[in-house]
Amino acid sequence: MKRSQKLLRSIGIQRRLQFGFLLLPLLAMLLCLFLYYHMSSQMILERNEQELSQSLEIVQAALYHKTLQMEQTMQDIAQEEVLRNSLFHDTHMTSLDMKEIENKHSALLERDSFHVYDKEKKVLYQDGTQKPLRLYDDGKIHWDFDTKNKQVFLTMAVKDERLLGYISISYKEEVFKTIFTNKHNGEETLLFVCDEQGKYLFGQDTMRKHTFSSKEHKIKIDHVTYYQKQLQAKNMDWNLVALAQEYYVMQDVHSFRNMLFLNVLVVILVESIFSVAIYKSIYDPTHNLVVSMRKAQESNLQHGLVVDEGKDELHELSENFNALLLRADHLMEEIKNEQEETRQTQIQLLQAQINPHFLFNTLNTLRYLAILNEDEPVSEGISALSRLLRNTIVDKKEYVSVQEEIHNVQDYIVIQKLRYGDLFETEYNIDKNVEEC
């Protein structure tokens, strides 16, 4: 934690604020956009897969009903007496015989051709040009497909303790058209049937030349990408295939992406405006404070005052800084005045030291002149004045002894005697024990 804080503190506050209020929210928003877009895309793809599964289930049910009806028709026709008589006696069926069968089985009207063969596979009745691809002897109904001619064949061996013959009914693929154009299937969804090897059987002409593996979730056909879903047909060795073009599937994703991108742009714009405002409200006062500190360091403290009209902690910090500058300026002014007073006092003291020397030198000169003129009273008076001035003015002792004070009085009396002569006399009565007090 301390290392990360130290690393952050090595970056300027402007960069940190820009990262914290602009870049970091933008990165977080872009990350949320990516995750939201990814999750939404997955949801749309899952919804598409569910829709394909629903379409396949609807087709599965419809196809099962249709094939079951066709096989039932085939079995019912195999039980018709007129057909069995023809096979038993190896006689040809007539159009009237066929008409009788059609009257009983209206579903047979959807056929494209109808063939009856004896046990030697010779034609006993032929209605239409499409002949079966194969004839089977096991008595089961077999489905064959002629994809080139778009024909579906149902063939069956007719037995009655022994093989009597064969019947074959062919249908055009159009009989299944209503199944694959169900209103539940969107225009962008292709539905068709292929065998277990993935070879196309019937359904959509555009897929006729291609094979389809059930293991592939996404395939590309003629430069077009599809999402694939397969489902096993009931009671048949067929696979129902549903294809949805990626363009149509992703169209919802792209529309959602564009809408989300537009909303994010608006949010980013609003967030940027507020972030810039908050950023400036923090950085500008801080920057002004730093600039003011630099000015205060370089020049007069009064020039470093911060102008801040806010009401937050930075305003309080600026006000305290201004108060500190004013206090420092006031203290500097007091120090300056005290230094000036000290200088004046020093000059006065120097002058006071010079004046006494000049005075005493003058008095000594006068005393020597009085001695030269043999004027003893004047000489003694000047000496007494000199001693009195030295003891009272120059020597500024807080306490003096009784003896020193008596000497000062005596010098004063000498000076007064020069003025008044013998008009008065002085008598001293002092205890010897207090002279040194």
Side-chain angles (χ1 to χ4, degrees):
M1 181 63 70
K2 292 184 178 180
R3 183 176 296 179
S4 61
Q5 289 181 352
K6 186 177 180 180
L7 178 62
L8 288 175
R9 291 298 298 274
S10 65
I11 305 173
I13 190 171
Q14 183 179 13
R15 301 288 186 215
R16 281 183 281 163
L17 288 174
Q18 288 175 348
F19 178 79
F21 285 101
L22 295 176
L23 185 59
L24 190 61
L26 181 61
L27 292 176
M29 199 169 299
L30 291 177
L31 178 61
C32 292
L33 172 63
F34 173 76
L35 293 176
Y36 194 50
Y37 175 73
H38 178 71
M39 293 174 60
S40 301
S41 300
Q42 290 298 116
M43 290 177 61
I44 292 175
L45 292 177
E46 290 176 2
R47 186 188 68 183
N48 171 71
E49 187 169 357
Q50 291 177 357
E51 291 177 351
L52 291 180
S53 297
Q54 290 176 358
S55 298
L56 287 175
E57 290 172 0
I58 293 172
V59 172
Q60 182 191 51
L63 186 62
Y64 173 72
H65 178 74
K66 184 67 176 178
T67 54
L68 191 63
Q69 179 188 30
M70 295 169 71
E71 288 184 349
Q72 187 62 46
T73 300
M74 187 78 166
Q75 292 175 349
D76 292 342
I77 292 174
Q79 299 301 321
E80 288 294 329
E81 184 178 355
V82 62
L83 176 66
R84 285 183 168 272
N85 287 335
S86 175
L87 292 174
F88 186 81
H89 298 290
D90 292 332
T91 59
H92 291 273
M93 287 179 55
T94 64
S95 58
L96 293 176
D97 296 333
M98 192 63 215
K99 191 68 173 177
E100 181 181 349
I101 294 175
E102 288 178 350
N103 291 334
K104 294 181 180 180
H105 306 283
S106 59
L108 192 59
L109 297 175
E110 294 181 332
R111 75 185 186 283
D112 185 55
S113 64
F114 182 80
H115 288 76
V116 180
Y117 299 88
D118 61 12
K119 56 182 176 293
E120 301 298 333
K121 299 182 181 180
K122 294 180 180 179
V123 177
L124 298 180
Y125 180 83
Q126 179 175 341
D127 179 5
T129 58
Q130 299 297 330
K131 294 182 179 181
L133 302 179
R134 290 182 58 189
L135 295 176
Y136 303 89
D137 298 333
D138 56 6
K140 298 179 180 179
I141 298 176
H142 292 268
W143 293 77
D144 290 314
F145 299 90
D146 184 357
T147 56
K148 181 178 180 181
N149 296 311
K150 302 180 182 181
Q151 294 285 326
V152 180
F153 293 91
L154 277 77
T155 57
M156 178 181 177
V158 180
K159 292 185 176 181
D160 185 10
E161 296 181 357
R162 61 186 180 87
L163 179 63
L164 299 178
Y166 308 90
I167 57 175
S168 171
I169 306 174
S170 70
Y171 298 89
K172 292 182 178 181
E173 291 182 3
E174 282 77 3
V175 296
F176 301 103
K177 184 176 182 180
T178 55
I179 297 176
F180 298 104
T181 56
N182 192 288
K183 63 180 180 180
H184 296 286
N185 307 329
E187 295 180 358
E188 67 276 8
T189 303
L190 303 178
L191 295 167
F192 53 92
V193 178
C194 63
D195 59 18
E196 291 181 322
Q197 286 73 39
K199 184 178 179 181
Y200 173 88
L201 296 179
F202 61 90
Q204 291 285 344
D205 287 341
T206 54
M207 300 292 121
R208 191 173 298 276
K209 299 179 181 179
H210 304 283
T211 56
F212 304 89
S213 172
S214 59
K215 298 180 180 180
E216 295 180 350
H217 176 67
K218 197 174 182 180
I219 60 176
K220 196 168 187 178
I221 301 174
D222 297 333
H223 306 291
V224 179
T225 303
Y226 296 89
Y227 290 101
Q228 177 186 231
K229 185 75 175 178
Q230 292 194 15
L231 182 65
Q232 177 73 37
K234 289 184 179 181
N235 298 334
M236 295 290 180
D237 296 332
W238 304 341
N239 286 333
L240 305 177
V241 183
L243 298 180
Q245 282 194 39
E246 184 184 37
Y247 172 78
Y248 292 105
V249 175
M250 298 305 293
Q251 198 171 33
D252 293 338
V253 177
H254 296 159
S255 299
F256 176 77
R257 179 197 61 191
N258 296 337
M259 180 189 68
L260 187 62
F261 182 72
L262 180 61
N263 292 335
V264 167
L265 281 181
V266 174
V267 172
I268 289 177
L269 180 61
V270 175
E271 187 271 339
S272 299
I273 294 174
F274 280 99
S275 296
V276 169
I278 296 174
Y279 157 74
K280 290 182 69 65
S281 70
I282 297 176
Y283 176 73
D284 289 352
T286 307
H287 179 69
N288 293 338
L289 189 59
V290 173
V291 172
S292 298
M293 288 180 178
R294 292 172 182 171
K295 287 182 179 180
Q297 185 179 5
E298 296 172 356
S299 61
N300 192 343
L301 295 179
Q302 295 285 350
H303 295 162
L305 293 178
V306 182
V307 179
D308 190 350
E309 299 178 356
K311 295 182 180 180
D312 55 2
E313 290 82 356
L314 289 174
H315 172 73
E316 183 178 356
L317 180 62
S318 300
E319 290 296 315
N320 292 335
F321 177 70
N322 290 340
L324 180 63
L325 290 183
L326 294 175
R327 178 62 179 166
D329 187 64
H330 177 68
L331 291 175
M332 290 179 66
E333 189 66 25
E334 288 183 353
I335 293 173
K336 183 178 179 182
N337 293 335
E338 290 178 358
Q339 289 177 347
E340 181 66 22
E341 292 177 359
T342 302
R343 189 177 66 84
Q344 293 295 333
T345 303
Q346 290 175 349
I347 293 175
Q348 292 175 1
L349 290 175
L350 183 61
Q351 291 175 347
Q353 291 176 357
I354 294 174
N355 292 337
H357 284 291
F358 177 74
L359 177 61
F360 293 140
N361 290 336
T362 303
L363 292 174
N364 287 332
T365 301
L366 294 174
R367 187 171 71 84
Y368 290 136
L369 288 174
I371 292 173
L372 290 176
N373 292 326
E374 296 180 354
D375 192 346
E376 185 175 352
V378 174
S379 174
E380 291 179 357
I382 293 173
S383 296
L385 177 61
S386 178
R387 288 192 299 272
L388 182 62
L389 290 175
R390 187 180 301 279
N391 292 332
T392 58
I393 297 176
V394 177
D395 296 336
K396 296 181 179 181
K397 296 180 180 180
E398 187 176 359
Y399 301 101
V400 295
S401 63
V402 174
Q403 185 178 12
E404 290 175 343
E405 190 62 29
I406 292 173
H407 289 161
N408 291 335
V409 172
Q410 291 174 348
D411 289 334
Y412 179 75
I413 295 298
V414 172
I415 295 171
Q416 292 299 321
K417 285 233 179 242
L418 290 175
R419 180 178 179 184
Y420 298 104
D422 296 329
L423 293 179
F424 65 90
E425 290 183 1
T426 307
E427 183 179 351
Y428 300 95
N429 186 10
I430 302 170
D431 189 354
K432 296 292 186 179
N433 294 326
V434 298
E435 287 185 355
E436 299 299 327
C437 292

